[in-house]
Amino acid sequence: MQSTQALNPYLPSWEYVPDAEPHIVDGRVYIYGSHDLFNGLNFCLGDYVCWSAPVGGLGNWTYHGCIYRREQDPAAPKLRLTNGLAAPDMVAGPDGRYYLYYFMGGTKMISVAVCDEPAGKYEFYGYVKYQDGTPIGKRNEPFQFDPGCLLDEDGRLYLYTGFAFGGNPILLDGSKPTTEGPMWFELDPGDMLTVLSGDEVQYLGVPTGEKAKGTPYEGQPFGEASSMRKFGGKYYFIYSSLNSHNLCWAVSNKPTGGFEFGGVLVSCGDIGLPGVPDTEHARMCTGNTHGSVIEIGGNYYVFYHRHSNRKQSSRQACAEQIRFEDGTFYQAEMTSCGLNGKPLRGEGRYPAYAACNVYGRNGTRFLSMVKHRKGADPFLTQKGGDREEGPDQYISNFCTGCTVGFKYFDLRNTKKITVNLQGYGNGCAVTVRTEEHGKALCRIPVETCTSQKGFTGTLPAGLGEKEALYFSVEGKGGTFDFVSFELS
């Protein structure tokens, strides 16, 4: 039985590890992802770090420190701001070592680092290359990006890459986006670097752009974030669509083609679920997403990321249990309980940053690299610097007309709820609901407090074992920092 409940985001709130590829090694789940910085000016400005948790305790994450620095790559450009370490993937080689495949801005290549341990200190190993020694990406191929790896049961090793956002500034170096969808390469498992599938670029057959029109992919064409997984003898290609906020899947009987569109795994705004038909109705500010799926103890989980700090480049790792039946995945809902496997206990203190729905009276927005103005909308942020030196995230601008939602809790024995706030709002109240637009179950009067203060209300009897909690502010001029709440 796990000692700590799992919450979303599942890492500490000051840690920003998006693009997560989860892998199980010796009974632990290891996370390999990019590394954003709090309030970072661009994506992926940090060096690679690694976290892991026991498969039987997905709320107990251990920090393994920095596993690879960008300066270890001989081709690392001097300018980090526009040339960060982007989304990696790890594969355990047949020699028992662990290989980290990654892309670094400004190189056009797919680089590889290696280590004797899954979360040890990786060393630069080489560049994925054709048989004549030319690195892939150096023959005017479409842009190589977001490598995903699969070492199949028959010992064959595959690499998947691709980027289809034609107007993106990342292509200002003269690179061209893929117009044919994701690419694949078969690599030599002997050296883990050399392409065996020939000098011609091979495409997976998952279309993008105009070529997706008239196909089942039309609503979700390939964008980026290639990841390949195998379940029940079938191959599942996971990718981020050109919509950017959706992580999607396609399935085939082979790893190199024949993929049929499956659907959406998760949206970082719950878009596509009942009551959320489009981005205008998103339940969280949206942006890009990237991740994958893993099976743990007979259950399936989708890993993805959400956005904070009013821009795209402070992304946080989240995960949800996802329904998988008869070879089909069904879109997961964003929740606060994520990897917990069941609703959270109806007692104890919960941080406000565990919210899975955060929106104002004007709804949400698709975030950009430029921080949007505060306006009248709530947002996730933190004070202080990056990492441990900064305090936990909280919700700022918790104001009149906004909604902050948490899912799910076992409230059968919960009698009281306390909200911990700091801000301004004499004559205001915080209302608590278990349905987004339902009747208020509790109305807690609050007042101006220049330091954090708790305000308590009583919940009615008869609540269930799987309930959402929605908090809103009533009254003119109420604007608070929402730090946490307590159930008792």
Side-chain angles (χ1 to χ4, degrees):
M1 181 177 179
Q2 63 187 47
S3 58
T4 303
Q5 292 190 110
L7 294 174
N8 270 328
Y10 55 83
L11 300 181
S13 71
W14 40 257
E15 183 67 287
Y16 298 87
V17 178
D19 309 327
E21 288 280 356
H23 292 282
I24 296 176
V25 180
D26 296 332
R28 296 188 69 86
V29 181
Y30 290 84
I31 297 300
Y32 303 89
S34 306
H35 190 195
D36 285 353
L37 303 181
F38 169 66
N39 207 27
L41 294 176
N42 205 344
F43 300 117
C44 312
L45 295 182
D47 294 321
Y48 289 139
V49 297
C50 190
W51 291 77
S52 74
V55 294
L58 296 176
N60 304 307
W61 289 87
T62 296
Y63 177 56
H64 298 283
C66 175
I67 62 172
Y68 191 71
R69 295 177 293 103
R70 70 183 295 280
E71 288 77 15
Q72 292 177 247
D73 191 317
K78 291 183 179 180
L79 183 62
R80 179 186 287 254
L81 181 60
T82 55
N83 297 302
L85 287 170
D89 196 8
M90 187 280 289
V91 63
D95 60 358
R97 297 197 293 173
Y98 300 89
Y99 292 83
L100 193 68
Y101 290 75
Y102 66 93
F103 170 83
M104 183 188 299
T107 69
K108 299 188 179 182
M109 299 180 287
I110 299 298
S111 304
V112 186
V114 67
C115 187
D116 292 333
E117 303 172 9
K121 301 300 182 183
Y122 281 73
E123 299 294 335
F124 177 77
Y125 180 65
Y127 303 106
V128 177
K129 63 186 190 304
Y130 296 106
Q131 295 189 22
D132 67 358
T134 304
I136 64 171
K138 293 296 188 179
R139 290 183 173 173
N140 200 35
E141 307 98 321
F143 191 53
Q144 303 297 313
F145 193 64
D146 285 357
C149 308
L150 175 72
L151 182 63
D152 210 349
E153 293 154 348
D154 60 5
R156 300 176 75 173
L157 175 64
Y158 300 94
L159 174 73
Y160 305 88
T161 73
F163 185 82
F165 293 90
N168 195 286
I170 200 171
L171 301 177
L172 291 177
D173 64 355
S175 297
K176 59 185 181 182
T178 176
T179 58
E180 300 289 339
M183 296 162 277
W184 67 268
F185 302 86
E186 183 179 354
L187 305 184
D188 184 347
D191 69 4
M192 307 293 284
L193 293 174
T194 304
V195 175
L196 298 181
S197 48
D199 290 343
E200 298 295 323
V201 172
Q202 309 287 326
Y203 293 98
L204 202 59
V206 175
T208 188
E210 293 294 319
K211 296 191 176 179
K213 290 187 175 180
T215 77
Y217 293 90
E218 183 170 354
Q220 308 291 343
F222 173 78
E224 58 179 339
S226 299
S227 179
M228 188 70 76
R229 297 297 170 114
K230 190 175 184 180
F231 304 115
K234 292 185 178 293
Y235 299 87
Y236 289 81
F237 180 66
I238 297 160
Y239 68 96
S240 176
S241 74
L242 283 180
N243 291 328
S244 200
H245 55 74
N246 284 347
L247 196 63
C248 303
W249 64 280
V251 62
S252 176
N253 290 319
K254 59 182 183 178
T256 57
F259 283 85
E260 297 180 359
F261 179 71
V264 174
L265 293 164
V266 68
S267 160
C268 61
D270 272 346
I271 299 162
L273 293 179
V276 195
D278 49 40
T279 54
E280 292 183 6
H281 296 83
R283 292 300 180 254
M284 182 79 83
C285 281
T286 50
N288 64 21
T289 197
H290 185 156
S292 197
V293 176
I294 194 168
E295 183 266 326
I296 304 173
N299 295 314
Y300 291 81
Y301 298 88
V302 56
F303 286 69
Y304 66 105
H305 60 245
R306 74 176 190 186
H307 301 265
S308 67
N309 199 41
R310 295 183 282 137
K311 61 186 306 187
Q312 275 210 43
S313 54
S314 296
R315 300 166 294 174
Q316 294 179 297
C318 294
E320 308 292 351
Q321 188 167 340
I322 188 168
R323 179 182 165 202
F324 181 57
E325 295 179 358
D326 300 323
T328 296
F329 286 103
Y330 296 84
Q331 183 175 343
E333 176 186 35
M334 294 178 70
T335 71
S336 305
C337 52
L339 294 168
N340 202 51
K342 60 182 178 181
L344 300 165
R345 293 189 292 268
E347 60 181 7
R349 177 187 176 277
Y350 291 95
Y353 68 74
C356 52
N357 296 162
V358 180
Y359 58 92
R361 54 176 170 259
N362 298 319
T364 61
R365 68 187 70 216
F366 188 90
L367 298 172
S368 71
M369 293 301 294
V370 178
K371 186 183 291 188
H372 74 78
R373 65 182 183 86
K374 291 184 179 180
D377 299 321
F379 58 91
L380 292 153
T381 190
Q382 72 181 58
K383 295 178 181 177
D386 200 45
R387 299 193 62 75
E388 297 92 331
E389 292 77 15
D392 277 341
Q393 274 196 343
Y394 59 95
I395 294 174
S396 184
N397 224 26
F398 181 50
C399 55
T400 302
C402 77
T403 298
V404 174
F406 303 80
K407 301 171 183 175
Y408 288 98
F409 298 88
D410 183 346
L411 299 180
R412 288 174 294 178
N413 299 311
T414 306
K415 297 179 176 60
K416 292 186 177 181
I417 186 166
T418 298
V419 290
N420 297 310
L421 309 173
Q422 179 178 340
Y424 302 91
N426 286 331
C428 293
V430 172
T431 60
V432 182
R433 295 173 170 82
T434 53
E435 296 181 6
E436 192 172 9
H437 304 293
K439 178 181 177 181
L441 303 181
C442 179
R443 187 177 185 275
I444 307 172
V446 297
E447 62 187 19
T448 295
C449 45
T450 56
S451 59
Q452 188 183 147
K453 183 177 180 179
F455 302 90
T456 302
T458 302
L459 291 174
L463 297 177
E465 61 182 325
K466 185 180 179 182
E467 300 277 14
L469 286 172
Y470 294 96
F471 297 80
S472 298
V473 176
E474 291 183 349
K476 290 185 178 181
T479 304
F480 296 90
D481 291 338
F482 186 1
V483 179
S484 63
F485 64 94
E486 299 168 31
L487 301 174
S488 59

